Amino acid sequence: MKIAHNKSLKEFNTFGIEVFANAFITVTSESQLHKILLEKGQEELFILSGGSNMLLTKNIDALVLHMAIRGIAVKHESEDTVVVSAYAGENWHDFVQYCIEKNYGGLENLSLIPGYVGSAPIQNIGAYGVELKDTFVSCEAYEISTGKKRLFTNDDCKFGYRNSIFKNSIKGQYIITKVNFRLTKKNHKLNTSYGAIETALTNADITFPTIKDISEAVIQIRKSKLPDPAEIGNSGSFFKNPVVPLHHFSKIKKLYPSIPSYVVDKHTIKIPAGWLIQQIGFKGKRWGDAGIHEKQALVLVNYNQATGKEILEVAKKIQNKVKEEFGIHLETEVNII
Ligand code: EPU
């Protein structure tokens, strides 16, 4: 097994932050992973997937396992649906495109999300009215302490908004190796409710969209708002959209009548964090190489050589000011390491 030492992780995180790993292994098979888990002894592990939802603020003093197990297969098929399984190291967007080419519906709204398949369930990735949990059947994962494989069903995962059991009660205890999705082969349940998708389809003169049309609309919207990590380092939305009690929302609405919001339940309402950050005047601001994207205030960016600590400073400035102005705490969506 090839172990690299003092390995730069710059290429392995979409923020493009330069930190070093004490030791680094690229894991390409389940048997290799199993062996590492049985032999690791007291050595601490750090699981690295697509690196698209993390901010690295320090060197990693652990054995980094870069999860690169690949493969896609159809597990079951009926007349209407198909269960497709993808290994953790598959690139998420490539997997979505594979499904669209085969005319398997359900993931099209999740096009162009950076990262790998294996980390998608951890934060229940979501965009444009669809979440991973809507098509997720189960995933296989190895317990780090014992090396045993376990199957997690949709219910087991306790999915929520950018949340799952993997971020809570069993955080850091399992490594996801494979994810199974149930997708449609016909009568696709298209989700075009998101305003920007409707507009994109209308502009393209499309009345009866296919899943490919929706995927293309999503790609176009994302490209127009979100920076490409290959060009400007970033991790997508840096904060979660906060959910606040209705009475708190009413107070803000009196001062800002045009505030956008989404009702969650009878007592709470979700406010777009991007809007809050824009209101405090931070959209497009920059301190050295760390800044806030000019087209989407929820996205923090590394223009070139920013350190993780510098990006974190920007995040703290935002949190303090939003708290001061709106009395709302912005929780990070990105994992701070
Ligand atoms: N807004 C502003 N200013 C900004 C950004 C947004 O006023 O700078 C307002 C918009 O005008 C709109 C509202 O905020 O009224 C929502 O904006 P947008 O549609 O861009 O979505 P978002 O709530 O900022 C969420 C997800 C994204 C996902 C989009 C589309 C979270 C934390 N983020 O962003 O997910 O792509 O919806 O569904 O839920 C990610 O998780 O990394 C991510 C990019």
Side-chain angles (χ1 to χ4, degrees):
M1 213 169 317
K2 230 175 97 191
I3 303 186
H5 291 280
N6 208 24
K7 169 103 173 164
S8 167
L9 297 183
K10 193 174 168 74
E11 278 171 40
F12 297 92
N13 71 101
T14 58
F15 253 123
I17 304 285
E18 175 96 80
V19 298
F20 293 86
N22 189 21
F24 181 101
I25 297 180
T26 302
V27 179
T28 53
S29 73
E30 283 189 73
S31 55
Q32 184 192 2
L33 176 66
H34 192 228
K35 190 162 180 278
I36 293 169
L37 295 181
L38 293 185
E39 290 175 1
K40 72 175 177 31
Q42 293 304 309
E43 187 149 25
E44 210 191 311
L45 298 182
F46 180 90
I47 312 307
L48 177 63
S49 182
S52 60
N53 202 40
M54 55 165 62
L55 177 64
L56 296 165
T57 64
K58 54 177 190 285
N59 289 336
I60 308 294
D61 188 21
L63 171 59
V64 173
L65 299 187
H66 180 229
M67 295 302 298
I69 312 177
R70 303 200 50 190
I72 300 175
V74 169
K75 278 186 79 171
H76 302 289
E77 209 165 342
S78 71
E79 209 183 308
D80 300 329
T81 64
V82 60
V83 175
V84 183
S85 69
Y87 274 102
E90 287 292 333
N91 173 284
W92 175 263
H93 179 65
D94 292 348
F95 172 59
V96 171
Q97 292 305 300
Y98 164 93
C99 294
I100 288 165
E101 289 307 316
K102 299 267 181 201
N103 194 32
Y104 299 155
L107 299 178
E108 53 283 354
N109 294 48
L110 304 178
S111 297
L112 214 62
I113 295 183
Y116 290 179
V117 167
S119 43
I122 299 176
Q123 57 148 348
N124 181 26
I125 58 169
Y128 309 106
V130 171
E131 287 182 332
L132 170 114
K133 73 168 169 54
D134 304 333
T135 50
F136 177 100
V137 177
S138 58
C139 67
E140 292 175 10
Y142 283 77
E143 190 174 30
I144 293 177
S145 60
T146 60
K148 282 194 186 133
K149 186 149 96 170
R150 177 174 159 190
L151 187 80
F152 289 86
T153 64
N154 192 310
D155 280 351
D156 292 340
C157 291
K158 299 193 169 65
F159 289 122
Y161 167 58
R162 297 294 191 276
N163 211 352
S164 77
I165 193 170
F166 300 106
K167 285 178 98 173
N168 292 290
S169 60
I170 56 164
K171 187 174 176 181
Q173 294 176 26
Y174 285 86
I175 302 174
I176 296 173
T177 44
K178 193 193 266 183
V179 186
N180 302 311
F181 301 86
R182 178 167 285 107
L183 305 171
T184 48
K185 284 167 66 181
K186 54 185 181 187
N187 303 324
H188 302 306
K189 292 185 199 73
L190 305 181
N191 192 327
T192 56
S193 56
Y194 202 87
I197 294 189
E198 273 180 359
T199 311
L201 292 172
T202 311
N203 289 345
D205 228 354
I206 295 169
T207 333
F208 299 104
T210 62
I211 55 172
K212 195 171 170 65
D213 292 330
I214 294 181
S215 170
E216 279 168 6
V218 167
I219 290 171
Q220 191 191 320
I221 299 162
R222 289 190 76 97
K223 281 190 171 161
S224 71
K225 281 195 189 175
L226 300 167
D228 178 355
E231 285 160 23
I232 304 176
N234 76 91
S235 240
S237 300
F238 197 88
F239 301 101
K240 288 188 187 181
N241 287 331
V243 175
V244 302
L246 269 185
H247 60 83
H248 192 132
F249 175 75
S250 310
K251 276 192 218 157
I252 301 175
K253 188 154 170 89
K254 275 197 190 117
L255 297 171
Y256 301 88
S258 62
I259 180 173
S261 61
Y262 322 98
V263 173
V264 176
D265 56 36
K266 268 201 286 193
H267 310 290
T268 54
I269 199 154
K270 197 187 267 183
I271 303 175
W275 183 88
L276 294 169
I277 299 167
Q278 182 165 348
Q279 295 311 307
I280 60 166
F282 276 27
K283 191 170 182 171
K285 270 202 171 200
R286 180 173 173 169
W287 292 266
D289 271 352
I292 298 159
H293 192 51
E294 55 194 10
K295 293 189 195 143
Q296 195 356 327
L298 194 47
V299 178
L300 302 197
V301 289
N302 170 14
Y303 283 102
N304 191 10
Q305 304 270 347
T307 63
K309 287 203 170 82
E310 284 165 346
I311 303 272
L312 193 56
E313 278 308 308
V314 173
K316 284 186 180 147
K317 280 190 180 74
I318 294 172
Q319 281 172 321
N320 290 340
K321 192 88 176 158
V322 167
K323 181 83 191 167
E324 201 180 298
E325 294 285 320
F326 295 100
I328 294 174
H329 170 68
L330 289 185
E331 204 184 309
T332 58
E333 202 228 288
V334 166
N335 297 308
I336 315 290
I337 310 290

